[in-house]
Amino acid sequence: MISTRRRTGAAILAVVAAASISVACGTGDTEATPVTTTTQPVLTGPEGVEKSPEQQATDSAIAKIDEFYASRGAVEADPAKAVQELDRVAGGPVLPKVSDDISLRRSQGITSTGAIVVVNSSVTDLSAPKDADGNPIPSPDGAWVKTETCTDISGWITKFPDGSPATLPDRGQFETAQITVRNAVWPDSAGWRVTSLNTLKTDSCTS
């Protein structure tokens, strides 16, 4: 298992009556073993320097998760921001679900403040196609990374126009999320998007 820990301010959807996004990934790929090669793999992005394809995929996916929460929170907090800004951090089927939920809450006058903090993310499985020399190569299925991410949601506040809370009082302080980040144009580093998100409230985030 490849583990990467990050802490960053970001934000996630707070739904009035419900809401985790549950999208099955449906892949049977097995866990990949990191490979270090003497031939330097090169991507189109800065993370492609002196890193194995597995590490490139790991770093890019974790960074995209942080960006996803931050972008999502910024769009939720500012009704002037276009929902289409989420196109650069999410893909189907997560993108239409998140976009529709934000549009619905905007129509109800629900406002959001604060932030959800990404406490840690651990990669549980990945596929980063490479050639016999360990260099990243294109693949019909692209590349993908699965993670278990834990967030602190205690500081994320959503309210109705009258000031009443738009979240359940017992929503919990933390949330774990099974997330899949995919790159359909691997090894182009610009292709990473969050495509699967399944959340569950929890008592704490473990290291």
Side-chain angles (χ1 to χ4, degrees):
M1 177 181 295
I2 306 170
S3 297
T4 304
R5 181 176 302 171
R6 287 168 179 263
R7 178 175 294 270
T8 182
I12 194 173
L13 221 44
V15 184
V16 180
S20 30
I21 303 169
S22 299
V23 181
C25 183
T27 177
D29 296 292
T30 57
E31 184 172 356
T33 302
V35 175
T36 302
T37 67
T38 55
T39 303
Q40 176 175 311
V42 178
L43 293 187
T44 59
E47 69 272 23
V49 179
E50 296 183 351
K51 295 179 180 178
S52 69
E54 290 85 357
Q55 192 61 52
Q56 291 175 29
T58 293
D59 292 350
S60 295
I62 295 298
K64 185 57 63 174
I65 289 172
D66 290 347
E67 186 183 356
F68 168 77
Y69 280 114
S71 297
R72 188 173 168 182
V75 171
E76 279 201 68
D78 185 358
K81 287 186 178 293
V83 177
Q84 288 72 21
E85 290 188 18
L86 298 173
D87 292 357
R88 61 187 176 83
V89 295
V94 168
L95 178 59
K97 172 63 176 177
V98 173
S99 299
D100 289 349
D101 284 348
I102 292 176
S103 296
L104 174 61
R105 280 196 305 284
R106 285 181 174 180
S107 71
Q108 296 173 334
I110 296 174
T111 57
S112 304
T113 58
I116 285 181
V117 178
V118 178
V119 178
N120 56 57
S121 290
S122 297
V123 174
T124 58
D125 200 2
L126 66 83
S127 175
K130 58 190 177 185
D131 62 20
D133 294 322
N135 298 305
I137 57 174
S139 168
D141 296 327
W144 51 264
V145 176
K146 295 182 180 181
T147 77
E148 181 171 293
T149 297
C150 190
T151 59
D152 183 343
I153 62 175
S154 61
W156 181 244
I157 309 300
T158 61
K159 295 181 179 181
F160 287 110
D162 64 2
S164 60
T167 51
L168 297 174
D170 59 347
R171 69 172 184 176
Q173 302 298 302
F174 300 92
E175 190 172 69
T176 58
Q178 307 296 325
I179 299 175
T180 300
V181 191
R182 288 186 177 274
N183 185 348
V185 295
W186 170 266
D188 187 336
S189 62
W192 292 99
R193 298 292 186 276
V194 172
T195 60
S196 175
L197 177 65
N198 193 355
T199 62
L200 179 68
K201 299 296 185 297
T202 187
D203 293 332
S204 65
C205 288
T206 56
S207 301

